[in-house]
């Protein structure tokens, strides 16, 4: 490859890298230098001398000037990327919708899942959560208040320890508390803990709430609870839950934290029968 053709290749790759970096900074930071290095390496692998630092800097300056004079190039690159991504995203969304519908009974009617509110309610809200997720912590009291306000509402909790090492112990303890009729109290107490919930902290909470600690420990170590947690992992994967909290209201999966008003609106839509099968494939924040 001639030096001029190599320069053109580098320029084209840099345009793409710059466009991606603007649209997706976290990708650009990782990809930009690698793209440049590989492009430069490509010319040298064919026998031509690699670019000097001065030449590379000149190329970068040329590309920068070109982009400033022709900013629509960036828009065109982003639009092209989006067009290529749309079929895959649509297929994933359709798959998630189908899985949500197919697993509705497991989401709403699993007998072992802890729940609060009216067991015979006509509206059920399902939450996948992690006790250390700050958004889950923020919403815990909101959900409890909604149940108090609405006698025809039930909230099902899917213990989903994505902070695996730190949270699994607390999730096991909370599920074990179900057997002593203390899930809601224990759940809210754990949510209020600061930092990773240690075994000592969990058993202090259990003692304060009047739980039998020996029984709690035995139940925490049971295969039944391990099976429940693993089942929640598989279910989350099937319906494309990527973050916590994630809510299912009617046929709708809503990732990310919501305001109490937002949840009330979804509940109202469910009662009116106006919720359609909608799956939001992108979470509003990273997985916790």
């Amino acid at each position: 490859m001639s030096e001029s053709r190599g320069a053109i290749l580098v320029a084209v790759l840099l345009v793409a890298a710059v466009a991606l970096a603007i649209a997706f900074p976290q990708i650009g930071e990782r990809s930009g230098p690698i793209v440049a290095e590989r492009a430069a390496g490509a010319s040298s692998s064919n026998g031509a001398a690699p670019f000097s630092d001065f030449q590379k800097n000149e190329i970068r300056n040329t590309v920068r000037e070109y982009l400033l004079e022709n900013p629509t190039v960036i828009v065109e690159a982003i639009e092209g990327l989006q067009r290529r991504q749309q079929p895959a995203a649509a297929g994933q969304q359709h798959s998630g919708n189908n899985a949500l519908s197919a697993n509705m009974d497991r989401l709403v009617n699993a007998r072992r899942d802890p729940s609060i509110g009216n067991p015979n309610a006509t509206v059920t809200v399902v939450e996948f959560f992690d006790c250390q997720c700050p958004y889950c912590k923020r919403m815990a009291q909101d959900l409890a208040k909604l149940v108090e306000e609405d006698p025809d509402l039930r909230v099902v909790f899917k213990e989903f320890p994505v902070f695996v090492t730190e949270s699994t112990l607390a999730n096991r303890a909370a599920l074990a508390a179900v057997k002593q009729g203390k899930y809601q109290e224990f759940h809210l107490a754990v949510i209020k803990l600061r930092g990773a919930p240690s075994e000592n902290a969990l058993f202090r909470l259990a003692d304060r709430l009047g739980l039998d600690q020996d029984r709690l420990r035995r139940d925490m170590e049971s295969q039944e609870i391990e099976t429940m947690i693993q089942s929640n992992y598989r279910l989350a994967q099937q319906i494309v839950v990527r973050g916590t909290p994630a809510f299912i209201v009617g046929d709708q999966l809503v990732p990310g934290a919501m305001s109490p008003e937002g949840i009330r609106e979804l509940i109202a839509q469910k009662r009116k029968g106006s919720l359609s099968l909608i799956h939001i494939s992108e979470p509003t924040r990273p997985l916790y």
Side-chain angles (χ1 to χ4, degrees):
M1 180 184 295
S2 68
E3 183 171 326
S4 61
R5 290 182 64 191
I8 293 172
L9 174 61
V10 173
V12 171
L13 290 173
L14 283 173
V15 168
V18 171
L20 288 172
I22 293 172
F24 310 103
Q26 71 279 14
I27 296 175
E29 289 170 4
R30 295 194 299 266
S31 302
I34 296 174
V35 169
E37 288 170 10
R38 287 180 178 174
S43 63
S44 62
S45 65
N46 289 315
F51 294 119
S52 67
D53 290 340
F54 176 79
Q55 288 172 319
K56 291 178 184 178
N57 190 57
E58 285 294 304
I59 292 170
R60 292 189 183 98
N61 289 336
T62 300
V63 171
R64 182 178 181 276
E65 291 174 6
Y66 177 79
L67 291 177
L68 290 174
E69 293 173 1
N70 301 274
T72 57
V73 171
I74 297 174
V75 176
E76 291 170 2
I78 294 171
E79 289 177 346
L81 177 64
Q82 290 173 338
R83 283 194 297 272
R84 290 192 294 273
Q85 289 176 333
Q86 281 173 355
Q92 185 180 58
Q93 178 171 332
H94 180 69
S95 175
N97 287 343
N98 289 340
L100 187 63
S101 179
N103 286 287
M104 192 55 63
D105 190 60
R106 291 175 61 197
L107 288 163
V108 175
N109 298 321
R111 293 182 179 180
R112 294 182 297 183
D113 285 338
S115 65
I116 59 175
N118 182 356
N120 299 312
T122 60
V123 177
T124 296
V125 174
V126 179
E127 182 193 20
F128 283 80
F129 78 98
D130 183 296
C131 64
Q132 288 195 86
C133 161
Y135 297 90
C136 300
K137 287 177 177 289
R138 191 181 76 193
M139 294 198 65
Q141 293 293 340
D142 292 337
L143 290 171
K145 185 176 180 181
L146 285 171
V147 166
E148 291 178 2
E149 295 173 352
D150 191 337
D152 189 31
L153 178 65
R154 173 172 169 255
V155 177
V156 173
F157 296 100
K158 295 288 188 181
E159 300 273 351
F160 187 48
V162 290
F163 285 103
V164 179
T165 303
E166 298 88 346
S167 297
T168 300
L169 185 68
N171 289 124
R172 286 178 174 275
L175 291 172
V178 174
K179 296 181 177 296
Q180 299 187 46
K182 295 281 188 177
Y183 177 81
Q184 184 174 5
E185 299 92 324
F186 194 83
H187 166 75
L188 291 175
V190 171
I191 285 288
K192 292 177 182 178
L193 286 175
R194 293 186 177 182
S198 66
E199 183 173 345
N200 287 338
L202 292 171
F203 278 92
R204 281 197 300 270
L205 290 179
D207 182 60
R208 192 180 76 200
L209 295 171
L211 278 79
D212 182 327
Q213 296 191 40
D214 291 335
R215 181 183 176 187
L216 186 74
R217 190 181 297 276
R218 288 195 304 272
D219 289 334
M220 286 172 63
E221 297 171 355
S222 70
Q223 183 57 46
E224 178 185 2
I225 286 179
E226 173 64 20
T227 299
M228 290 177 68
I229 292 174
Q230 293 305 318
S231 176
N232 287 346
Y233 278 130
R234 290 191 295 271
L235 183 57
Q237 184 177 26
Q238 289 169 11
I239 66 173
V240 199
V241 168
R242 296 181 177 179
T244 58
F247 297 93
I248 295 90
V249 185
D251 292 330
Q252 185 166 353
L253 170 61
V254 183
M258 290 189 290
S259 67
E261 293 74 21
I263 300 178
R264 288 190 186 98
E265 178 61 27
L266 288 175
I267 292 169
Q269 291 179 29
K270 167 62 178 174
R271 290 196 170 114
K272 293 176 183 176
S274 58
L275 274 179
S276 59
L277 186 61
I278 300 172
H279 178 272
I280 304 173
S281 61
E282 291 302 321
T284 56
R285 52 178 188 72
L287 179 69
Y288 275 94

